[in-house]
Amino acid sequence: MSNHPQRRPLALVTGASAGIGAAFARELASRGYDLVLTARRRERLEALAAELESAHGSHSTILVADLNQAGAPAQIAAELDERGLGIDLLVNNAGYGIPGHLRDQDWPVHRDFLQIMVSAPVELAWRLLPGMLERGHGRIINIASVAGLIPGTAGHTLYAASKSFLVKFSQSLALEYRGRGVNTCAVCAGFTLSEFHDVNGARPLMNRMPKWIWLQADRVARDALGAVERGRIVQISGLLYKTIYLMTKYLPDWLLLRMSARRSRHFRVQVAQPLAERQAD
């Protein structure tokens, strides 16, 4: 724990209104943390805050923010400073996916995506690191994905790329600051039950996938918190996804890319084309 005067450790969770973000908030509250919850939907954050206070006596500060706005990370940091809140643990969780090929979307759609998935996590870490270093203790968890560890696919063009960036960013950050009390961990989960697939239009396909491939969000959160405390830099949740990752280390690139191309064609037919047709209606 940090030596700052706050009564309880404090964690900031982005994208906290549902899914993995809400699971992190619940797990952290059960471990004695107070929370700063940020997302776009105030009513969901307020409901979660009430739940955490009732169940664990955890106090939550709600900061409504849309991280696709370039000024949002600075605004969050300024509000934290104004309230005298020092963050001990940052969970960069906010994110989503864009189905289809690169030219299927206008550039502002991709620009906003990169702001949320790449720029915002880096800027929040940059702004909160000084306080962690001053106190000699901090934790940063970046929610990446197994998609960032294996070959990319056609469709969802920027998703795997953004997650790969978070993995490399986390590795560098961990090596730079672990000697000063700040641990960083990239969490690489696979398919996890959440609203993610409703947002990107992939729910019909996801519902046809076998149940055994799915991870529970609360398990991902528990695994991640244990990993960052142990100083693990990359955490892969679930035996299935650890196996998939190991396979990519030993199979030749040409075979992996061929498998990826087949999976991409299947996704295009099952998800991206029907979604485009619905949007055109």
Side-chain angles (χ1 to χ4, degrees):
M1 296 298 177
S2 62
N3 295 321
H4 63 91
Q6 291 171 183
R7 182 176 59 85
R8 292 157 63 100
L10 185 63
L12 167 62
V13 182
T14 70
S17 58
I20 294 176
F24 265 100
R26 293 185 177 102
E27 184 64 26
L28 286 162
S30 74
R31 298 183 182 206
Y33 277 78
D34 284 339
L35 283 301
V36 176
L37 306 175
T38 181
R40 295 177 299 171
R41 297 174 286 187
R42 176 180 290 277
E43 66 281 359
R44 290 208 174 190
L45 295 177
E46 290 176 343
L48 179 59
E51 173 195 331
L52 300 180
E53 183 172 11
S54 176
H56 306 290
S58 177
H59 173 73
S60 296
T61 299
I62 293 173
L63 299 180
V64 177
D66 190 345
L67 289 174
N68 72 6
Q69 302 297 315
Q75 178 185 350
I76 290 171
E79 292 196 40
L80 293 173
D81 288 342
E82 183 177 343
R83 300 177 189 218
L85 298 175
I87 299 300
D88 300 291
L89 190 154
L90 167 64
V91 181
N92 277 316
N93 165 74
Y96 60 101
I98 301 173
H101 292 178
L102 186 67
R103 289 292 302 176
D104 291 345
Q105 301 287 348
D106 294 335
W107 174 247
V109 175
H110 295 307
R111 179 197 61 208
D112 291 349
F113 175 86
L114 292 170
Q115 170 61 34
I116 290 177
M117 304 291 281
V118 176
S119 295
V122 174
E123 184 173 353
L124 284 171
W126 182 81
R127 291 186 179 278
L128 298 181
L129 262 169
M132 294 180 182
L133 294 172
E134 182 180 351
R135 293 185 293 273
H137 183 279
R139 302 288 183 260
I140 298 173
I141 295 175
N142 294 315
I143 303 303
S145 171
V146 172
L149 300 174
I150 63 178
T153 63
H156 280 278
T157 317
L158 299 179
Y159 184 78
S162 69
K163 295 303 187 180
S164 180
F165 174 90
L166 284 180
V167 172
K168 299 302 183 184
F169 171 63
S170 300
Q171 290 171 331
S172 295
L173 208 60
L175 296 176
E176 288 173 1
Y177 295 108
R178 65 182 179 183
R180 300 178 63 182
V182 178
N183 292 352
T184 301
C185 180
V187 176
C188 297
F191 291 115
T192 304
L193 291 171
S194 71
E195 293 181 356
F196 177 87
H197 303 291
D198 298 311
V199 174
N200 69 15
R203 176 59 59 191
L205 176 61
M206 298 302 108
N207 287 342
R208 294 196 294 271
M209 299 177 71
K211 293 183 178 180
W212 52 267
I213 74 167
W214 291 95
L215 297 172
Q216 298 292 331
D218 56 355
R219 174 184 173 180
V220 173
R222 286 196 302 271
D223 288 350
L225 291 170
V228 76
E229 288 301 328
R230 294 193 301 272
R232 183 181 295 274
I233 298 175
V234 177
Q235 166 66 25
I236 302 174
S237 290
L239 179 60
L240 170 64
Y241 296 105
K242 292 176 182 176
T243 302
I244 290 173
Y245 170 66
L246 287 175
M247 287 175 58
T248 67
K249 303 293 287 185
Y250 295 104
L251 292 177
D253 287 348
W254 67 265
L255 178 58
L256 291 171
L257 289 171
R258 180 176 294 179
M259 295 167 62
S260 177
R262 291 182 61 187
R263 185 158 60 95
S264 298
R265 286 195 296 270
H266 177 71
F267 178 86
R268 181 71 177 173
V269 171
Q270 297 293 330
V271 179
Q273 289 177 350
L275 177 62
E277 291 167 1
R278 289 198 301 272
Q279 291 174 335
D281 289 341

